[in-house]
Amino acid sequence: VLGDLQYHHYKFTVTDSRDVEIRLSGEDNIDLILSLRRDGLAWISDAPYVLASKGSTKTLKIKNLESGDWYIGVRCATAVTSKKTTYTLSGEYFKYPGRTDVLNGTNYTLKIL
């Protein structure tokens, strides 16, 4: 289960250069980002492979992925929004009018073929 703006990281090893397909599938109305990097965590800012389109279903196909340790990053891009509100007597507080459902996290599956 992955919550708003959180990352999950996974590591896999390729022993001989081969074709690889990575499939990410999540719940409807959630935006997930898939990233891939060799020899280090696959943060979006550092990864040479990033799929950041809308939605939670992504497929990354790479021909002849070189051998080594590879890291997958999965990030939930759907976030809770807040709005600062002021009461005249009690001061300020925040309202959360947006996607509070992602606070409990979203389910997804990740497959490496």
mmCIF file of all heavy atoms in Angstrom, residues 58-92:
data_model
loop_
_atom_site.group_PDB
_atom_site.id
_atom_site.type_symbol
_atom_site.label_atom_id
_atom_site.label_comp_id
_atom_site.label_asym_id
_atom_site.label_seq_id
_atom_site.Cartn_x
_atom_site.Cartn_y
_atom_site.Cartn_z
ATOM 1 N N LYS A 58 1.296 1.301 -16.050
ATOM 2 C CA LYS A 58 2.486 1.627 -16.831
ATOM 3 C C LYS A 58 3.163 0.329 -17.257
ATOM 4 O O LYS A 58 3.189 -0.642 -16.512
ATOM 5 C CB LYS A 58 3.496 2.424 -15.993
ATOM 6 C CG LYS A 58 2.949 3.612 -15.223
ATOM 7 C CD LYS A 58 2.750 4.797 -16.105
ATOM 8 C CE LYS A 58 2.389 6.053 -15.381
ATOM 9 N NZ LYS A 58 1.110 6.152 -14.777
ATOM 10 N N THR A 59 3.753 0.332 -18.465
ATOM 11 C CA THR A 59 4.562 -0.790 -18.938
ATOM 12 C C THR A 59 5.844 -0.232 -19.526
ATOM 13 O O THR A 59 5.804 0.595 -20.443
ATOM 14 C CB THR A 59 3.808 -1.617 -20.003
ATOM 15 O OG1 THR A 59 2.602 -2.120 -19.428
ATOM 16 C CG2 THR A 59 4.656 -2.791 -20.465
ATOM 17 N N LEU A 60 6.973 -0.688 -18.990
ATOM 18 C CA LEU A 60 8.288 -0.261 -19.460
ATOM 19 C C LEU A 60 8.978 -1.476 -20.071
ATOM 20 O O LEU A 60 9.193 -2.473 -19.387
ATOM 21 C CB LEU A 60 9.106 0.295 -18.286
ATOM 22 C CG LEU A 60 10.535 0.739 -18.568
ATOM 23 C CD1 LEU A 60 10.560 1.874 -19.590
ATOM 24 C CD2 LEU A 60 11.225 1.166 -17.286
ATOM 25 N N LYS A 61 9.293 -1.388 -21.368
ATOM 26 C CA LYS A 61 9.973 -2.475 -22.077
ATOM 27 C C LYS A 61 11.352 -1.989 -22.490
ATOM 28 O O LYS A 61 11.477 -0.942 -23.122
ATOM 29 C CB LYS A 61 9.184 -2.889 -23.315
ATOM 30 C CG LYS A 61 7.836 -3.485 -23.022
ATOM 31 C CD LYS A 61 7.126 -3.862 -24.308
ATOM 32 C CE LYS A 61 5.746 -4.400 -24.033
ATOM 33 N NZ LYS A 61 5.048 -4.792 -25.274
ATOM 34 N N ILE A 62 12.362 -2.773 -22.126
ATOM 35 C CA ILE A 62 13.733 -2.409 -22.467
ATOM 36 C C ILE A 62 14.394 -3.612 -23.117
ATOM 37 O O ILE A 62 14.422 -4.706 -22.534
ATOM 38 C CB ILE A 62 14.532 -1.970 -21.226
ATOM 39 C CG1 ILE A 62 13.845 -0.788 -20.565
ATOM 40 C CG2 ILE A 62 15.958 -1.634 -21.603
ATOM 41 C CD1 ILE A 62 14.415 -0.408 -19.236
ATOM 42 N N LYS A 63 14.939 -3.401 -24.301
ATOM 43 C CA LYS A 63 15.655 -4.471 -24.995
ATOM 44 C C LYS A 63 17.101 -4.494 -24.510
ATOM 45 O O LYS A 63 17.734 -3.458 -24.349
ATOM 46 C CB LYS A 63 15.611 -4.254 -26.501
ATOM 47 C CG LYS A 63 14.222 -4.428 -27.092
ATOM 48 C CD LYS A 63 14.326 -4.762 -28.559
ATOM 49 C CE LYS A 63 12.985 -5.131 -29.123
ATOM 50 N NZ LYS A 63 12.619 -6.491 -28.831
ATOM 51 N N ASN A 64 17.591 -5.688 -24.277
ATOM 52 C CA ASN A 64 18.985 -5.903 -23.878
ATOM 53 C C ASN A 64 19.398 -5.061 -22.670
ATOM 54 O O ASN A 64 20.410 -4.366 -22.702
ATOM 55 C CB ASN A 64 19.935 -5.639 -25.052
ATOM 56 C CG ASN A 64 19.727 -6.606 -26.185
ATOM 57 O OD1 ASN A 64 19.536 -7.806 -25.965
ATOM 58 N ND2 ASN A 64 19.725 -6.100 -27.401
ATOM 59 N N LEU A 65 18.605 -5.127 -21.606
ATOM 60 C CA LEU A 65 18.971 -4.429 -20.371
ATOM 61 C C LEU A 65 20.272 -5.028 -19.862
ATOM 62 O O LEU A 65 20.388 -6.248 -19.699
ATOM 63 C CB LEU A 65 17.864 -4.586 -19.326
ATOM 64 C CG LEU A 65 18.036 -3.772 -18.047
ATOM 65 C CD1 LEU A 65 17.957 -2.277 -18.349
ATOM 66 C CD2 LEU A 65 16.976 -4.150 -17.023
ATOM 67 N N GLU A 66 21.256 -4.176 -19.654
ATOM 68 C CA GLU A 66 22.577 -4.685 -19.278
ATOM 69 C C GLU A 66 22.566 -5.297 -17.886
ATOM 70 O O GLU A 66 21.745 -4.961 -17.031
ATOM 71 C CB GLU A 66 23.635 -3.595 -19.400
ATOM 72 C CG GLU A 66 23.378 -2.353 -18.608
ATOM 73 C CD GLU A 66 24.388 -1.263 -18.920
ATOM 74 O OE1 GLU A 66 25.436 -1.237 -18.240
ATOM 75 O OE2 GLU A 66 24.115 -0.454 -19.814
ATOM 76 N N SER A 67 23.493 -6.209 -17.673
ATOM 77 C CA SER A 67 23.562 -6.911 -16.389
ATOM 78 C C SER A 67 23.960 -5.949 -15.281
ATOM 79 O O SER A 67 24.584 -4.922 -15.507
ATOM 80 C CB SER A 67 24.529 -8.093 -16.473
ATOM 81 O OG SER A 67 25.800 -7.647 -16.857
ATOM 82 N N GLY A 68 23.533 -6.290 -14.072
ATOM 83 C CA GLY A 68 23.832 -5.474 -12.902
ATOM 84 C C GLY A 68 22.634 -5.377 -11.979
ATOM 85 O O GLY A 68 21.604 -6.026 -12.196
ATOM 86 N N ASP A 69 22.793 -4.580 -10.943
ATOM 87 C CA ASP A 69 21.702 -4.336 -10.002
ATOM 88 C C ASP A 69 20.871 -3.161 -10.498
ATOM 89 O O ASP A 69 21.398 -2.082 -10.779
ATOM 90 C CB ASP A 69 22.248 -4.023 -8.606
ATOM 91 C CG ASP A 69 22.898 -5.227 -7.956
ATOM 92 O OD1 ASP A 69 22.470 -6.360 -8.250
ATOM 93 O OD2 ASP A 69 23.829 -5.034 -7.157
ATOM 94 N N TRP A 70 19.560 -3.367 -10.595
ATOM 95 C CA TRP A 70 18.620 -2.363 -11.069
ATOM 96 C C TRP A 70 17.616 -2.058 -9.978
ATOM 97 O O TRP A 70 17.224 -2.940 -9.225
ATOM 98 C CB TRP A 70 17.914 -2.851 -12.329
ATOM 99 C CG TRP A 70 18.819 -2.848 -13.521
ATOM 100 C CD1 TRP A 70 19.640 -3.862 -13.922
ATOM 101 C CD2 TRP A 70 19.015 -1.776 -14.427
ATOM 102 N NE1 TRP A 70 20.333 -3.484 -15.035
ATOM 103 C CE2 TRP A 70 19.968 -2.208 -15.369
ATOM 104 C CE3 TRP A 70 18.476 -0.494 -14.548
ATOM 105 C CZ2 TRP A 70 20.396 -1.393 -16.410
ATOM 106 C CZ3 TRP A 70 18.901 0.307 -15.587
ATOM 107 C CH2 TRP A 70 19.857 -0.142 -16.507
ATOM 108 N N TYR A 71 17.206 -0.797 -9.914
ATOM 109 C CA TYR A 71 16.287 -0.344 -8.886
ATOM 110 C C TYR A 71 15.047 0.253 -9.539
ATOM 111 O O TYR A 71 15.151 1.066 -10.456
ATOM 112 C CB TYR A 71 16.951 0.703 -7.991
ATOM 113 C CG TYR A 71 18.086 0.134 -7.186
ATOM 114 C CD1 TYR A 71 19.337 -0.060 -7.755
ATOM 115 C CD2 TYR A 71 17.897 -0.240 -5.858
ATOM 116 C CE1 TYR A 71 20.378 -0.605 -7.027
ATOM 117 C CE2 TYR A 71 18.942 -0.786 -5.132
ATOM 118 C CZ TYR A 71 20.176 -0.966 -5.714
ATOM 119 O OH TYR A 71 21.199 -1.511 -4.986
ATOM 120 N N ILE A 72 13.896 -0.161 -9.043
ATOM 121 C CA ILE A 72 12.614 0.363 -9.503
ATOM 122 C C ILE A 72 12.073 1.291 -8.428
ATOM 123 O O ILE A 72 12.102 0.959 -7.240
ATOM 124 C CB ILE A 72 11.607 -0.777 -9.734
ATOM 125 C CG1 ILE A 72 12.101 -1.711 -10.838
ATOM 126 C CG2 ILE A 72 10.222 -0.222 -10.068
ATOM 127 C CD1 ILE A 72 11.274 -2.977 -10.968
ATOM 128 N N GLY A 73 11.567 2.436 -8.842
ATOM 129 C CA GLY A 73 10.876 3.348 -7.940
ATOM 130 C C GLY A 73 9.413 3.430 -8.342
ATOM 131 O O GLY A 73 9.098 3.537 -9.526
ATOM 132 N N VAL A 74 8.530 3.346 -7.367
ATOM 133 C CA VAL A 74 7.106 3.559 -7.597
ATOM 134 C C VAL A 74 6.702 4.701 -6.679
ATOM 135 O O VAL A 74 6.913 4.636 -5.467
ATOM 136 C CB VAL A 74 6.267 2.300 -7.286
ATOM 137 C CG1 VAL A 74 4.788 2.579 -7.500
ATOM 138 C CG2 VAL A 74 6.725 1.126 -8.137
ATOM 139 N N ARG A 75 6.138 5.757 -7.260
ATOM 140 C CA ARG A 75 5.731 6.922 -6.478
ATOM 141 C C ARG A 75 4.249 7.204 -6.706
ATOM 142 O O ARG A 75 3.773 7.177 -7.836
ATOM 143 C CB ARG A 75 6.521 8.158 -6.884
ATOM 144 C CG ARG A 75 6.156 9.380 -6.044
ATOM 145 C CD ARG A 75 7.063 10.547 -6.347
ATOM 146 N NE ARG A 75 6.879 11.589 -5.363
ATOM 147 C CZ ARG A 75 6.505 12.826 -5.662
ATOM 148 N NH1 ARG A 75 6.286 13.172 -6.911
ATOM 149 N NH2 ARG A 75 6.371 13.723 -4.717
ATOM 150 N N CYS A 76 3.544 7.479 -5.624
ATOM 151 C CA CYS A 76 2.145 7.891 -5.727
ATOM 152 C C CYS A 76 2.138 9.404 -5.913
ATOM 153 O O CYS A 76 2.501 10.157 -5.011
ATOM 154 C CB CYS A 76 1.367 7.502 -4.473
ATOM 155 S SG CYS A 76 -0.368 7.977 -4.546
ATOM 156 N N ALA A 77 1.737 9.846 -7.106
ATOM 157 C CA ALA A 77 1.728 11.277 -7.417
ATOM 158 C C ALA A 77 0.420 11.948 -7.023
ATOM 159 O O ALA A 77 0.324 13.171 -7.039
ATOM 160 C CB ALA A 77 1.994 11.478 -8.911
ATOM 161 N N THR A 78 -0.581 11.153 -6.667
ATOM 162 C CA THR A 78 -1.847 11.717 -6.202
ATOM 163 C C THR A 78 -1.663 12.144 -4.751
ATOM 164 O O THR A 78 -1.182 11.366 -3.934
ATOM 165 C CB THR A 78 -2.979 10.678 -6.315
ATOM 166 O OG1 THR A 78 -3.075 10.277 -7.686
ATOM 167 C CG2 THR A 78 -4.307 11.257 -5.870
ATOM 168 N N ALA A 79 -2.030 13.371 -4.447
ATOM 169 C CA ALA A 79 -1.746 13.907 -3.113
ATOM 170 C C ALA A 79 -2.977 14.545 -2.480
ATOM 171 O O ALA A 79 -3.883 14.991 -3.169
ATOM 172 C CB ALA A 79 -0.636 14.948 -3.199
ATOM 173 N N VAL A 80 -2.939 14.589 -1.168
ATOM 174 C CA VAL A 80 -3.951 15.299 -0.403
ATOM 175 C C VAL A 80 -3.698 16.789 -0.568
ATOM 176 O O VAL A 80 -2.557 17.238 -0.549
ATOM 177 C CB VAL A 80 -3.858 14.911 1.093
ATOM 178 C CG1 VAL A 80 -4.811 15.741 1.918
ATOM 179 C CG2 VAL A 80 -4.127 13.443 1.270
ATOM 180 N N THR A 81 -4.745 17.548 -0.738
ATOM 181 C CA THR A 81 -4.597 19.002 -0.815
ATOM 182 C C THR A 81 -5.194 19.629 0.442
ATOM 183 O O THR A 81 -6.105 19.075 1.055
ATOM 184 C CB THR A 81 -5.307 19.573 -2.051
ATOM 185 O OG1 THR A 81 -6.680 19.192 -2.017
ATOM 186 C CG2 THR A 81 -4.678 19.061 -3.329
ATOM 187 N N SER A 82 -4.637 20.758 0.816
ATOM 188 C CA SER A 82 -5.158 21.462 1.992
ATOM 189 C C SER A 82 -5.402 22.927 1.649
ATOM 190 O O SER A 82 -4.810 23.466 0.720
ATOM 191 C CB SER A 82 -4.181 21.352 3.157
ATOM 192 O OG SER A 82 -2.973 21.990 2.837
ATOM 193 N N LYS A 83 -6.269 23.523 2.416
ATOM 194 C CA LYS A 83 -6.593 24.935 2.223
ATOM 195 C C LYS A 83 -6.590 25.607 3.591
ATOM 196 O O LYS A 83 -7.315 25.192 4.498
ATOM 197 C CB LYS A 83 -7.974 25.076 1.569
ATOM 198 C CG LYS A 83 -8.378 26.500 1.298
ATOM 199 C CD LYS A 83 -9.743 26.558 0.628
ATOM 200 C CE LYS A 83 -10.150 28.003 0.416
ATOM 201 N NZ LYS A 83 -11.489 28.108 -0.146
ATOM 202 N N LYS A 84 -5.759 26.625 3.724
ATOM 203 C CA LYS A 84 -5.685 27.357 4.981
ATOM 204 C C LYS A 84 -6.949 28.198 5.148
ATOM 205 O O LYS A 84 -7.350 28.919 4.237
ATOM 206 C CB LYS A 84 -4.450 28.247 4.991
ATOM 207 C CG LYS A 84 -4.077 28.769 6.343
ATOM 208 C CD LYS A 84 -2.745 29.491 6.239
ATOM 209 C CE LYS A 84 -2.213 29.818 7.596
ATOM 210 N NZ LYS A 84 -0.895 30.467 7.521
ATOM 211 N N THR A 85 -7.570 28.064 6.295
ATOM 212 C CA THR A 85 -8.821 28.756 6.576
ATOM 213 C C THR A 85 -8.687 29.490 7.903
ATOM 214 O O THR A 85 -7.991 29.038 8.797
ATOM 215 C CB THR A 85 -9.984 27.732 6.659
ATOM 216 O OG1 THR A 85 -9.983 26.984 5.450
ATOM 217 C CG2 THR A 85 -11.309 28.415 6.812
ATOM 218 N N THR A 86 -9.362 30.600 8.039
ATOM 219 C CA THR A 86 -9.275 31.389 9.271
ATOM 220 C C THR A 86 -10.656 31.553 9.905
ATOM 221 O O THR A 86 -11.627 31.874 9.225
ATOM 222 C CB THR A 86 -8.703 32.794 8.980
ATOM 223 O OG1 THR A 86 -7.438 32.646 8.339
ATOM 224 C CG2 THR A 86 -8.538 33.599 10.248
ATOM 225 N N TYR A 87 -10.709 31.261 11.195
ATOM 226 C CA TYR A 87 -11.882 31.582 11.991
ATOM 227 C C TYR A 87 -11.607 32.889 12.705
ATOM 228 O O TYR A 87 -10.482 33.158 13.100
ATOM 229 C CB TYR A 87 -12.144 30.507 13.050
ATOM 230 C CG TYR A 87 -12.940 29.339 12.559
ATOM 231 C CD1 TYR A 87 -12.568 28.049 12.918
ATOM 232 C CD2 TYR A 87 -14.068 29.493 11.771
ATOM 233 C CE1 TYR A 87 -13.301 26.954 12.489
ATOM 234 C CE2 TYR A 87 -14.793 28.406 11.339
ATOM 235 C CZ TYR A 87 -14.411 27.138 11.695
ATOM 236 O OH TYR A 87 -15.130 26.074 11.279
ATOM 237 N N THR A 88 -12.608 33.697 12.931
ATOM 238 C CA THR A 88 -12.386 34.992 13.582
ATOM 239 C C THR A 88 -12.012 34.838 15.049
ATOM 240 O O THR A 88 -11.229 35.605 15.566
ATOM 241 C CB THR A 88 -13.639 35.874 13.476
ATOM 242 O OG1 THR A 88 -14.746 35.173 14.007
ATOM 243 C CG2 THR A 88 -13.899 36.276 12.041
ATOM 244 N N LEU A 89 -12.500 33.823 15.736
ATOM 245 C CA LEU A 89 -12.220 33.681 17.165
ATOM 246 C C LEU A 89 -11.078 32.709 17.473
ATOM 247 O O LEU A 89 -10.299 32.934 18.390
ATOM 248 C CB LEU A 89 -13.479 33.211 17.904
ATOM 249 C CG LEU A 89 -14.653 34.186 17.861
ATOM 250 C CD1 LEU A 89 -15.866 33.575 18.539
ATOM 251 C CD2 LEU A 89 -14.269 35.489 18.539
ATOM 252 N N SER A 90 -10.989 31.623 16.737
ATOM 253 C CA SER A 90 -10.040 30.578 17.128
ATOM 254 C C SER A 90 -8.759 30.539 16.298
ATOM 255 O O SER A 90 -7.934 29.665 16.497
ATOM 256 C CB SER A 90 -10.725 29.214 17.058
ATOM 257 O OG SER A 90 -11.171 28.971 15.741
ATOM 258 N N GLY A 91 -8.577 31.449 15.388
ATOM 259 C CA GLY A 91 -7.343 31.468 14.611
ATOM 260 C C GLY A 91 -7.445 30.693 13.314
ATOM 261 O O GLY A 91 -8.507 30.602 12.713
ATOM 262 N N GLU A 92 -6.317 30.103 12.886
ATOM 263 C CA GLU A 92 -6.242 29.432 11.594
ATOM 264 C C GLU A 92 -6.295 27.920 11.742
ATOM 265 O O GLU A 92 -5.895 27.358 12.756
ATOM 266 C CB GLU A 92 -4.943 29.814 10.890
ATOM 267 C CG GLU A 92 -4.839 31.295 10.602
ATOM 268 C CD GLU A 92 -3.503 31.663 10.001
ATOM 269 O OE1 GLU A 92 -2.513 30.928 10.191
ATOM 270 O OE2 GLU A 92 -3.449 32.699 9.339
#
